[in-house]
Amino acid sequence: MRKKDRLQPESLASHCPVVPVVRGKFLVLEGIDGSGTTSQLDRVVEHIRSLGFAAVATFEPSTGPVGRLLREALLGRLAMPDGRGLDGRTMAMLFAADRFDHLQREVEPQLALGTTVVSDRYLLSSLAYQAEEADRDWVQILARGVIKPDRTLLLDLPVEVAAKRRLAAGRPVERYDADSYLAKVAANYRTLAKEDASVVVVNGAGSKEEVTAAICQAIAPLFAPPPRS
């Protein structure tokens, strides 16, 4: 081939099609405290990796600056000058701020790389928990602009079972751990699940293995190979 016939860099680019990166899936585990979302997080990520897909785990409150502040508030270490805890509207705004920070720092960059992101809690937590302390429509307004998960897995179980699990795990008591409060939150979760077709309710009262199997079955269609044309 003569020198003048050699392909220049721009010509090479036109002959080599660019394969677009397929955006990763965004999955969320939800449920009242003690439902097992944290226990299932790594198990679900490992299952997705076993299918040959890149996957990472994350959670809310996040490890960011607002998330660290929230964890202090949940443990009762952050209070007003008169000793009262932060009010419900303040908590709702902090959760919303942490969510936007979480999306920008962790979730969106991983999804753009084609990595599946599995989060322990997301928007449904705010609508189930903070809506008991503030107006739900207002809490929803705070969430304008956040991305919608591809699938949310709601681990549903009796409040009493969740309480026994928290006790057995030796977890410190947090702001929302009262059974009476969690009963309302659980009811909110069930209502929200009925309103959103992307939410799959999973029986969270079974063994870890049983719950993992149910979750994996629920997300299987998201990782199925595309049909041959």
Side-chain angles (χ1 to χ4, degrees):
M1 183 168 63
R2 292 175 299 175
K3 185 175 181 180
K4 66 177 182 179
D5 292 331
R6 290 177 183 170
L7 294 175
Q8 298 302 309
E10 58 271 18
S11 299
L12 286 170
S14 65
H15 284 75
C16 299
V18 176
V19 179
V21 175
V22 178
R23 184 176 173 84
K25 302 297 183 183
F26 184 29
L27 311 179
V28 176
L29 301 174
E30 290 280 7
I32 62 174
D33 291 305
S35 62
T37 58
T38 303
S39 298
Q40 291 297 325
L41 184 61
D42 289 337
R43 298 172 69 89
V44 174
V45 167
E46 287 304 315
H47 169 73
I48 295 169
R49 289 174 178 169
S50 74
L51 299 176
F53 297 90
V56 295
T58 189
F59 46 82
E60 292 187 0
S62 75
T63 57
V66 186
R68 293 196 299 270
L69 191 67
L70 267 171
R71 293 191 181 278
E72 292 296 302
L74 290 170
L75 291 169
R77 298 171 184 164
L78 195 64
M80 303 297 286
D82 61 4
R84 291 181 296 112
L86 303 183
D87 75 5
R89 291 171 297 178
T90 302
M91 293 294 291
M93 287 188 283
L94 285 172
F95 274 107
D98 180 50
R99 185 158 299 122
F100 278 102
D101 177 58
H102 183 215
L103 285 170
Q104 184 180 32
R105 284 186 303 101
E106 296 186 47
V107 179
E108 287 280 17
Q110 290 291 338
L111 294 177
L113 291 173
T115 302
T116 290
V117 177
V118 185
S119 182
D120 178 358
R121 301 196 176 283
Y122 187 60
L123 176 58
L124 222 63
S125 283
S126 285
L127 297 176
Y129 278 83
Q130 276 68 63
E132 280 300 312
E133 299 184 309
D135 180 72
R136 176 182 163 182
D137 291 338
W138 179 74
V139 174
Q140 184 76 66
I141 289 172
L142 294 177
R144 283 181 180 173
V146 303
I147 62 174
K148 183 179 175 64
D150 294 287
R151 186 79 82 245
T152 297
L153 296 309
L154 172 58
L155 308 189
D156 190 31
L157 78 172
V159 171
E160 299 78 13
V161 175
K164 290 179 180 178
R165 287 182 178 178
R166 294 196 305 275
L167 183 63
R171 282 182 39 181
V173 177
E174 294 188 354
R175 177 184 177 109
Y176 303 118
D177 280 355
D179 284 359
S180 57
Y181 190 91
L182 288 178
K184 297 176 183 178
V185 172
N188 290 343
Y189 266 130
R190 293 173 190 130
T191 298
L192 291 163
K194 293 177 182 178
E195 298 172 352
D196 189 341
S198 69
V199 179
V200 177
V201 180
V202 174
N203 179 9
S207 66
K208 286 184 180 181
E209 293 75 17
E210 290 170 337
V211 176
T212 302
I215 293 173
C216 293
Q217 182 178 7
I219 65 175
L222 298 175
F223 301 96
R228 294 182 177 179
S229 57

